C-alpha cells in the first residue's frame, strides 16, 4: 500500500515539476517577446523622430542655402557660402538615418563587433553576480541584517 501511495506521490511531483518548467518557459518567452516589442517600438520612435526632425532641418537648410548663396553673390565673397558645408553633412546624416540604409549598416557593424571583437563588450570587473550585488547592498544599507 505504501508503494502505491509513494508511486502516486512521485508521479504527482513529476507532473508538478513539468508544469513549473512549462510555466517558467512560457514566462521567459513572454518576457523575450515583450522586450523585443519594446525595442522595436523604441526604434520606430527614433526613426519617426529623425524623419520629423529632417523636415524642419531641411526647411532650415533650404532657407540657409538660399540666404548664404544670395549673400555670397551680393557681397561677391564666396567665403559667406562656407557654413553650408557642415550643414550639408548634417542634412545627409539625418536623411540617411530617416530614409537611407544607416540603420542596416549600423546593425551589420554591431553584428561584426559581437562576432569578432567581443572582448570590447566585457564589463569592467567582469559580469555582475548576486554575491557582488549583495556586498554592495550590505555596504550601503542603513539596516544591516545578517543571517
Amino acid at each position: 500500500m505504501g508503494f502505491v501511495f509513494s508511486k502516486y506521490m512521485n508521479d504527482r511531483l513529476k507532473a508538478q515539476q513539468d508544469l513549473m518548467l512549462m510555466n517558467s518557459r512560457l514566462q521567459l518567452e513572454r518576457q523575450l517577446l515583450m522586450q523585443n516589442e519594446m525595442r522595436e517600438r523604441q526604434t520606430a520612435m527614433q526613426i519617426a523622430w529623425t524623419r520629423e526632425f529632417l523636415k524642419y532641418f531641411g526647411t532650415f537648410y533650404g532657407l540657409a542655402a538660399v540666404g548664404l548663396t544670395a549673400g555670397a553673390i551680393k557681397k561677391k565673397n564666396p567665403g559667406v557660402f562656407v557654413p553650408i558645408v557642415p550643414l550639408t553633412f548634417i542634412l545627409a546624416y539625418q536623411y540617411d538615418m530617416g530614409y537611407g540604409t544607416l540603420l542596416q549598416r549600423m546593425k551589420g557593424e554591431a553584428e561584426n563587433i559581437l562576432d569578432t571583437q567581443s572582448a570590447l563588450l566585457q564589463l569592467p570587473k567582469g559580469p555582475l553576480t548576486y554575491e557582488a550585488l549583495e556586498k554592495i547592498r550590505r555596504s550601503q544599507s542603513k539596516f544591516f541584517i545578517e543571517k
Side-chain angles (χ1 to χ4, degrees):
M1 183 79 171
F3 176 74
V4 172
F5 183 72
S6 175
K7 185 171 182 339
Y8 172 76
M9 290 300 289
N10 284 341
D11 290 345
R12 294 287 295 160
L13 182 62
K14 176 76 170 130
Q16 186 71 17
Q17 288 173 339
D18 290 344
L19 181 64
M20 289 173 59
L21 179 62
M22 184 182 71
N23 281 339
S24 65
R25 284 184 179 178
L26 182 62
Q27 182 180 9
L28 178 60
E29 185 177 327
R30 285 179 177 153
Q31 286 176 347
L32 291 171
L33 286 171
M34 183 181 67
Q35 287 175 347
N36 192 50
E37 183 70 22
M38 292 301 294
R39 182 195 56 80
E40 287 177 355
R41 289 178 184 204
Q42 288 172 342
T43 303
M45 283 297 292
Q46 181 182 7
I47 294 169
W49 182 90
T50 299
R51 289 179 179 179
E52 192 63 26
F53 178 80
L54 184 62
K55 292 174 190 173
Y56 287 95
F57 188 77
T59 303
F60 167 75
Y61 178 83
L63 292 173
V66 169
L68 291 172
T69 303
I73 292 171
K74 185 175 181 182
K75 293 190 178 201
K76 296 181 183 175
N77 180 4
V80 175
F81 193 69
V82 170
I84 204 71
V85 175
L87 293 176
T88 302
F89 281 102
I90 295 170
L91 182 69
Y93 175 82
Q94 291 297 327
Y95 181 83
D96 195 19
M97 180 74 168
Y99 295 100
T101 60
L102 179 64
L103 289 176
Q104 286 87 8
R105 293 192 316 268
M106 288 171 53
K107 180 182 170 215
E109 184 61 26
E111 288 173 352
N112 179 47
I113 291 168
L114 287 168
D115 292 340
T116 62
Q117 301 172 344
S118 60
L120 296 174
L121 306 174
Q122 301 299 319
L123 292 172
K125 296 185 178 182
L128 285 174
T129 62
Y130 176 78
E131 290 80 16
L133 287 174
E134 276 298 300
K135 184 179 178 183
I136 294 168
R137 183 192 62 78
R138 277 192 226 113
S139 70
Q140 294 177 355
S141 178
K142 294 179 180 166
F143 304 105
F144 186 77
I145 301 172
E146 188 63 40
K147 291 182 182 179

